[in-house]
């Protein structure tokens, strides 16, 4: 019974959430934030594979997200809906119901292949030189897409809303919240299984002593390839979900700033802590949304106390001042991130006892 | 032919900006092994400081009567003032944000993330305080065009290039010939042994930040003199590019940063001269990626070796 | 012959780290490689384990030319080693250290890993069993969940040998196993290696060691190198009185 309790809990959350959205118990805004949270969880946990467990410093995660987003969007618009540029749908629109999850997965595969740009140089070099290669990869990917006029270039690409609409025509349930939730759970679960297997622990061995790992029979090149491709592939899935949730993608929304967000989430949670990454993605998303409301309140307060000149309004731009400030302070107080290298079960021993059998 | 030489000079000018910023990255990296991602934004702050110092000296704030100083005098006064003020910003970052983390023994990458956050803070803090409207830098120097056998070059370009070369020579001298330079090089090898040798490690680090940020301030000043529009995000892209230049040159090595900066500029200008300008980033970064594939530790970087 | 090295030369730039190095290790033997610091001993080990590529010469392990193989492939063939300065994975438990060293036994793919297929569970179970057996017989059972960095130096050495043994090697290279140990620990180490040789019948040992006590009590044959060249070879008693060896270690008396 204990063995299935966790899965049952997840299932209950999924079904509960989807039902709540379906019967409009939660409003549009909450749903969007929840979906964004899910996407951020995928991004931070997948980046943690490379930056936390393998100890590399990849700062171009958004680039892979971009590949996934574009590949899946273009495919789904091409296949499932009528488009100004691509003409009529290649497949009946109803196929979108099974097609969109598949297309998002294909986006993930494409992103994993794009991950090769970074994975192959990592055989020879590591550390800050690799960091540069990831930044350059991010720029190159964005720049490539900006130069492709067929898919909108710098103006961005849209049409995914119609595909999602087609899915809802077939069966009127909240498809995107469901897909995001399933995607999040599956990817965290996949990473969890990967890093806790002997196979996946090879990447931690590489992090701690690459020479010893190679000599102790770990095929370091293959493990690097696997880690980078897993990480970028999941980022691609996150990108695909992102594109279908918002219905619009633009190369600049995957620029280095987005990569920075991913980095922040990983290091805030703790390098090499999966539950830390999940937690920090949740906290980070909530923080951004909370600031959206806090700033006008702060503005009103400051004006009431005459702390700022009457002509000056504290606008939303302060969000990006307060946020880094909070993060800098957090780093000062928790220089290892929220969780360090530990997992949730290390802090709450009863969880460990309860799920002992799952671990085995 | 005319255009060709014009491009060469443009590349030299841009290369000088990149090199000046890359030198700051490389100095800090050479000492602390820290990628100071806030450095591009320190450059931006330098540009704003240059703007305020210059307008102050021009008499915009009523303290000094307008017309007290002539253009060249203002430049001569404003450059050191900008450098000093900018280096104060750099040192403040190091004291407030980086050093406490270092002292707590945080992982190197946490300091890097803090640097990224400091960069964002500077950018957006600037945007929030000064507003989104772009500022225009006053013309301080009269534009003189020297022409030599059909090649014309402005005095400003010559000033920029000369400044970059001068800074490089100065830094090269400091790092290789002086005691403090030796201490800077030593710290990157062994942070634990250095204090035991009686070297005040924190003073050396502060000195490094003073040098790096001071030259970023200089770069900011020269940049807004050449391209007189200031906006809060001007440091972000140029900073990332300069960082890449520093790495391609071989991060931690002064010559590498200098040459890397010029290399990047030449590649960029070369690309724009042949291809449409939208391809600039794509091709420039691809070239850099190829260079790193070919020489994984940059042009001057030592090969990474592990001893067992 | 399990390991056959002939005419092996390694140059680093202008420096000749090892020249015309020959060695032949019989299955089940224990051989020592000694020499003053910087004489090229570790280089010989690094070449054998594939970490360096030789400038010239051949290396055959178990009848196979291993020069073109990567270190992990050589390890999979049955050659394990320890390091002069302990290189355990300090942030992983002792148990994990030993588990990961069986990476070459993994026959499942990443998909098995996600889906926990039967093959995955069987292999993980085998790895666990083997790891616990290894800990048990090396007397490390109490430290299975400890981090190596929290263990005393002597135990770290022992964990490193256990990690190398968990590869199921035919040839074990020990790079100064007694370095940094006190005399009681050295006694334990000698006992441990002796016990390994009786427990694993065909295990061949090749060690670099400075402490004569260890070498004399464990090895049947010694090879001495200096400046990359072999200067003496033979059983311990002969080596002890060889004038060349004394000269290399103590210097020329006539100077």
């Amino acid at each position: 019974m204990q063995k299935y309790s966790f899965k049952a809990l997840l299932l209950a959350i999924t079904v509960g959430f989807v039902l709540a959205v379906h019967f409009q118990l939660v409003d549009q805004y909450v749903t969007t934030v929840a979906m964004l949270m899910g996407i951020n969880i995928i991004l931070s946990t997948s980046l943690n594979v490379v930056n936390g467990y393998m100890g590399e410093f990849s700062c171009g995660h958004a680039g892979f997200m971009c590949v996934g987003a574009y590949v899946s969007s273009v495919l789904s618009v091409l296949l499932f809906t009528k488009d100004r540029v691509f003409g009529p749908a290649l497949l009946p629109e109803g196929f979108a119901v099974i097609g969109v999850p598949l297309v998002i997965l294909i986006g993930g595969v494409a992103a994993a292949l794009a991950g090769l740009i970074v994975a192959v140089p990592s055989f020879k070099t590591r550390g800050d030189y690799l960091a540069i290669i990831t930044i350059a990869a991010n720029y190159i990917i964005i720049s490539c897409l900006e130069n492709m006029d067929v898919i909108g270039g710098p103006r961005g690409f849209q049409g995914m809303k119609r595909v999602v609409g087609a899915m809802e025509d077939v069966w009127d349930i909240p498809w995107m919240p469901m897909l995001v939730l399933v995607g999040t759970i599956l990817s965290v679960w996949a990473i969890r299984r990967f890093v806790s297997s002997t196979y996946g622990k090879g990447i931690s061995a590489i992090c701690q002593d690459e020479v010893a790992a190679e000599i102790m029979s770990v095929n370091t090149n293959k493990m690097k390839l696997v880690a980078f491709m897993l990480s970028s592939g999941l980022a691609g899935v996150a990108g695909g979900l992102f594109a279908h949730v918002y219905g619009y993608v633009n190369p600049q929304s995957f620029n280095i700033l987005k990569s920075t967000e991913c980095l922040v989430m990983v290091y805030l949670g703790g390098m090499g802590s999966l539950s830390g990454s999940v937690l920090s993605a949740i906290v980070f998303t909530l923080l951004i949304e909370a600031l959206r409301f806090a700033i006008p309140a702060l503005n009103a307060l400051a004006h009431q106390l005459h702390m700022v000149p009457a002509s000056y309004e504290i606008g939303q731009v302060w969000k990006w001042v307060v946020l880094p400030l909070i993060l800098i302070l957090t780093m000062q107080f928790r220089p290892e991130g929220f969780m360090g290298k530990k997992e949730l079960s290390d802090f709450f021993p009863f969880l460990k006892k309860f799920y002992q059998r799952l671990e085995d | 032919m005319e255009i060709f030489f014009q491009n060469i000079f443009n590349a030299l000018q841009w290369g000088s900006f990149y090199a000046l910023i890359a030198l700051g990255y490389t100095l800090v990296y050479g000492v602390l092994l820290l990628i100071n991602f806030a450095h591009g934004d320190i450059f931006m702050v330098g540009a704003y400081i240059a703007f305020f110092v210059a307008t102050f000296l021009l008499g915009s704030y009523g303290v000094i009567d307008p017309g007290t100083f002539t253009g060249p005098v203002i430049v001569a006064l404003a450059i050191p003032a900008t450098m000093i003020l900018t280096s104060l910003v750099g040192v403040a970052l190091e004291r407030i944000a980086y050093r406490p983390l270092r002292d707590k023994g945080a992982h190197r990458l946490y300091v890097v993330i803090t640097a990224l956050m400091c960069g964002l803070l500077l950018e957006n803090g600037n945007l929030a305080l000064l507003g989104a409207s772009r500022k225009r830098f006053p013309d301080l120097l009269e534009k003189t065009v020297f022409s030599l056998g059909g090649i014309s070059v402005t005095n400003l370009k010559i000033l920029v290039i000369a400044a970059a070369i001068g800074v490089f020579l100065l830094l090269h001298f400091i790092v290789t010939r002086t005691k403090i330079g030796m201490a800077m090089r030593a710290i990157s090898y062994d942070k634990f042994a250095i204090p035991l040798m009686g070297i005040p490690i924190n003073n050396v680090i502060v000195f490094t930040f003073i040098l790096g940020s001071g030259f970023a301030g200089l770069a900011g000043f020269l940049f807004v003199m050449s391209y007189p529009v200031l906006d809060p995000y001007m440091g972000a892209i140029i900073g990332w590019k300069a960082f890449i230049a520093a790495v391609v040159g071989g991060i931690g090595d002064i010559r590498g940063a200098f040459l890397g900066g010029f290399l990047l500029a030449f590649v960029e200008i070369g690309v724009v001269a042949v291809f449409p300008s939208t391809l600039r980033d794509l091709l420039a970064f691809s070239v850099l990626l190829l260079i790193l594939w070919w020489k994984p530790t940059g042009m001057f970087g030592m090969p990474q070796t592990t001893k067992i | 012959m399990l390991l056959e090295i002939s005419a092996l030369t390694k140059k680093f730039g202008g420096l000749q780290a090892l020249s015309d190095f020959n060695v032949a290790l019989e299955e089940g033997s224990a051989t020592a490689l000694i020499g003053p610091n910087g004489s090229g001993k570790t280089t010989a080990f690094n070449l054998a384990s594939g970490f360096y590529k030789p400038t010239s010469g051949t290396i055959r392990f178990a009848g196979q030319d291993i020069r073109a193989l990567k270190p992990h492939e050589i390890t999979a063939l049955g050659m394990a080693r320890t390091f002069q300065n302990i290189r355990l994975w300090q942030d992983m438990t002792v148990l994990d250290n030993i588990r990961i060293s069986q990476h070459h036994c993994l026959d499942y793919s990443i998909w098995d890993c996600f889906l926990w297929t039967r093959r995955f569970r069987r292999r993980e179970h085998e790895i666990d069993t083997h790891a616990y057996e290894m800990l048990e017989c090396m007397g490390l059972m109490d430290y299975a969940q400890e981090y190596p960095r929290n263990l005393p130096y002597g135990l770290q050495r022992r964990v490193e040998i256990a990690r190398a043994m968990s590869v199921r090697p035919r040839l074990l290279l020990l790079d100064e196993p007694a370095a940094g140990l006190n005399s009681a620990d050295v006694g334990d180490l000698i006992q441990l290696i002796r016990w390994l040789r009786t427990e694993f019948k065909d295990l061949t040992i090749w060690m670099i060691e400075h402490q004569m006590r260890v070498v004399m009590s464990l090895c049947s044959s010694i090879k001495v190198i200096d400046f990359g060249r072999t200067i003496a070879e033979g059983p311990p008693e002969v080596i002890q009185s060889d004038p060349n060896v004394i000269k290399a270690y103590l210097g020329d008396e006539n100077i």
Side-chain angles (χ1 to χ4, degrees), chain A residues 121 124 126 128-129 132 135 139-140 143 147 211 264 267 270-271 312 317-318 320-321 324 327 331-332 336, chain B residues 29 35 97 100-101 104 108-110 113 117 121 124 127-128 240 243 247 278 282 292-293 296-297 304 308:
Chain A
K124 280 207 291 182
R126 62 175 309 169
D128 301 321
Y129 292 96
I132 281 302
I135 296 172
Y139 271 112
I140 288 173
S143 198
N147 282 293
V211 172
V264 165
Y267 291 93
M271 294 163 72
Y312 188 83
V317 61
W318 280 90
W320 281 99
V321 180
L327 295 173
M331 299 277 180
Q332 300 289 344
E336 282 202 300
Chain B
Y29 187 88
I35 310 174
L101 269 183
K104 283 180 195 131
R108 194 173 70 92
L109 293 180
Y110 281 91
I113 295 297
M117 291 299 106
L121 190 66
N124 295 300
L127 188 65
W240 284 100
F243 170 52
V247 174
T278 46
L282 179 61
L292 280 179
W293 266 0
T297 52
Q304 290 168 310
I308 49 176

Side-chain angles (χ1 to χ4, degrees), chain C residues 5-11 18 43 46-48 50-59 65-69:
Chain C
I5 295 177
S6 58
L8 189 67
T9 300
K10 176 71 186 170
K11 286 181 186 155
L18 204 63
T43 307
N46 287 346
L47 285 163
F51 191 67
Y52 293 154
K53 295 289 159 235
T55 313
S56 66
T58 59
I59 311 170
D65 187 351
I66 57 169
R67 275 175 304 175
L69 296 186

Side-chain angles (χ1 to χ4, degrees), chain A residues 186-197:
Chain A
L186 284 187
S187 56
V188 173
W189 168 82
I191 292 171
R192 164 96 190 124
R193 288 196 160 181
F194 175 67
V195 296
S196 60
S197 68

Side-chain angles (χ1 to χ4, degrees), chain A residues 3 7 189-223 226-227 230 341 357-360, chain C residues 46 49 51 70-73 75-76 79-83 86-92 96 99-106 108-110 113-116 120 124 127-128 160 163-164 167:
Chain A
K3 195 170 173 182
K7 287 168 192 165
W189 168 82
I191 292 171
R192 164 96 190 124
R193 288 196 160 181
F194 175 67
V195 296
S196 60
S197 68
T198 306
Y199 186 71
K201 275 179 186 160
I203 63 171
S204 310
I206 293 176
C207 166
Q208 289 169 34
D209 191 332
E210 192 175 340
V211 172
E214 175 74 28
I215 287 193
M216 285 300 150
S217 86
V218 178
N219 187 347
T220 49
N221 283 358
K222 186 181 157 201
M223 289 315 296
V226 167
L230 176 66
K341 269 194 182 327
R357 293 188 49 201
L358 268 183
E359 301 272 325
D360 289 337
Chain C
N46 287 346
S49 54
F51 191 67
K70 296 227 176 72
H72 70 91
E73 291 164 330
T75 311
M79 187 196 296
R81 68 172 285 181
T82 65
F83 300 91
I86 296 175
R87 299 190 85 127
L88 289 164
W89 298 300
Q90 299 286 352
D91 283 335
M92 278 189 279
D96 276 345
R99 272 191 195 145
I100 292 168
S101 308
Q102 301 172 56
H103 232 255
H104 63 291
C105 309
L106 297 179
Y108 59 78
S109 70
I110 189 167
C113 198
F114 292 152
L115 300 173
W116 278 3
F120 171 84
E124 289 282 302
I127 284 174
D128 265 12
E160 214 188 13
R163 186 177 71 169
V167 172

